[in-house]
Amino acid sequence: MDRPVATFTIDGVTEDSNTPAAPAGVAHPRSIRSFVTRVGRVTTGQSRALEELGPKFLVPYKAELLDLASTFGREAPTILEIGFGMGEATAHIAGLMPEKNFLCCEVHLPGVGALLKRIGEQGLTNIRIIQHDAVEVLDHMLAPAVLAGVHVFFPDPWHKARHNKRRLLQPPLVANLARHLMPGGYLHCATDWQPYAEQMLEVLGAEPALENTASGYAAKPDYRPLTKFENRGLKLGHGVWDVVFQRQTARQSLAQKSGT
């Protein structure tokens, strides 16, 4: 069993943060991040994975466009994952889809170490990790229309009404994600908090570049596994909602404008 060997903290927004409100008119307030502060432990196995596999699979954050073909060593459709936690779903999906590249953003070191450990155990080659805020990665490292898909699974729901504005999936970010999707690319979100699911439907549905692939919530795609946490919640009667939207193609946009 892995033995804890280190602890860490990362500065960021917390539920009780005194972060000042963003100025009016700011398109994407700096107070909104793709993560919240957590304290965690890096185990010996995670530490070993960081040391041994980090040089190959970690991509340093730089405020310049990333050459995806060079980064992955091949040309392939690229999926961006925002906030992969401990990497259980990420490794599962990457194993199911070896023909696709997965660019994964997570700021918390134990999660990064855990995913690297899974990469080594499963022999995965199609994952690269950026240990940085996904919002800044989008803004500075990815070109428009370069992504085949985006996964946002179980982002922090910010349960309290006065904190809802800190939720990741706000109109400016959704517009930014849509801009980075290639025509026909998809945005798949999942949450176990119904009010957030309702907001997801509302915000994604209001983005003109996106179209819902279902009449409302989507059936869980086969590629997204049920995590231990999710299974436990379902046994307790908690719901899980998937929302899947697609970037419109030029033909779809034209048909929508013409009203046909």
Side-chain angles (χ1 to χ4, degrees):
M1 179 180 293
D2 291 340
R3 176 172 54 86
V5 296
T7 62
F8 76 100
T9 59
I10 298 177
D11 292 333
V13 179
T14 67
E15 187 171 4
D16 297 319
S17 172
N18 293 319
T19 304
V26 174
H28 197 91
R30 291 185 60 82
S31 59
I32 297 178
R33 292 287 187 254
S34 63
F35 64 94
V36 295
T37 299
R38 288 203 302 253
V39 176
R41 296 176 181 272
V42 179
T43 67
T44 52
Q46 293 165 4
S47 181
R48 188 179 305 113
L50 283 161
E51 180 180 351
E52 296 177 357
L53 299 176
K56 179 176 180 180
F57 294 100
L58 289 178
V59 177
Y61 171 79
K62 294 181 181 179
E64 58 187 47
L65 286 182
L66 183 67
D67 184 334
L68 291 173
S70 176
T71 298
F72 285 91
R74 64 174 185 173
E75 295 273 2
T78 299
I79 309 297
L80 173 69
E81 181 165 11
I82 299 178
F84 54 76
M86 300 306 283
E88 179 183 357
T90 305
H92 175 87
I93 295 170
L96 288 179
M97 303 180 181
E99 75 284 0
K100 294 182 180 178
N101 295 332
F102 290 85
L103 183 66
C104 306
C105 293
E106 175 62 64
V107 299
H108 299 105
L109 196 59
V112 173
L115 180 55
L116 286 170
K117 189 168 179 285
R118 295 178 194 278
I119 287 172
E121 291 170 346
Q122 299 179 34
L124 301 172
T125 60
N126 57 337
I127 293 176
R128 297 295 182 273
I129 302 168
I130 303 180
Q131 189 183 350
H132 197 79
D133 176 28
V135 175
E136 293 191 350
V137 171
L138 275 169
D139 287 344
H140 303 296
M141 295 187 72
L142 295 176
V146 75
L147 297 173
V150 177
H151 295 170
V152 186
F153 298 154
F154 305 100
D156 194 299
W158 293 103
H159 301 89
K160 296 180 181 179
R162 64 191 176 95
H163 291 154
N164 287 176
K165 62 183 180 292
R166 293 180 182 170
R167 288 175 176 168
L168 176 65
L169 292 165
Q170 306 281 1
L173 178 63
V174 170
N176 199 4
L177 290 171
R179 185 171 68 89
H180 284 84
L181 285 172
M182 59 182 60
Y186 68 93
L187 171 55
H188 179 187
C189 307
T191 182
D192 58 357
W193 185 247
Q194 187 171 1
Y196 201 0
E198 293 167 355
Q199 180 184 328
M200 288 177 178
L201 269 184
E202 179 182 352
V203 174
L204 271 64
E207 170 51 51
L210 297 176
E211 183 174 50
N212 198 344
T213 62
S215 58
Y217 299 114
K220 184 185 78 65
D222 290 339
Y223 60 76
R224 185 178 74 75
L226 290 176
T227 65
K228 293 179 182 178
F229 173 81
E230 188 176 352
N231 266 319
R232 187 163 60 247
L234 289 172
K235 289 177 182 178
L236 293 172
H238 301 164
V240 175
W241 294 266
D242 287 82
V243 179
V244 183
F245 276 66
Q246 187 176 49
R247 179 73 159 85
Q248 291 190 2
T249 64
R251 179 176 297 179
Q252 288 172 322
S253 298
L254 182 62
Q256 186 180 65
K257 289 179 180 178
S258 65
T260 59

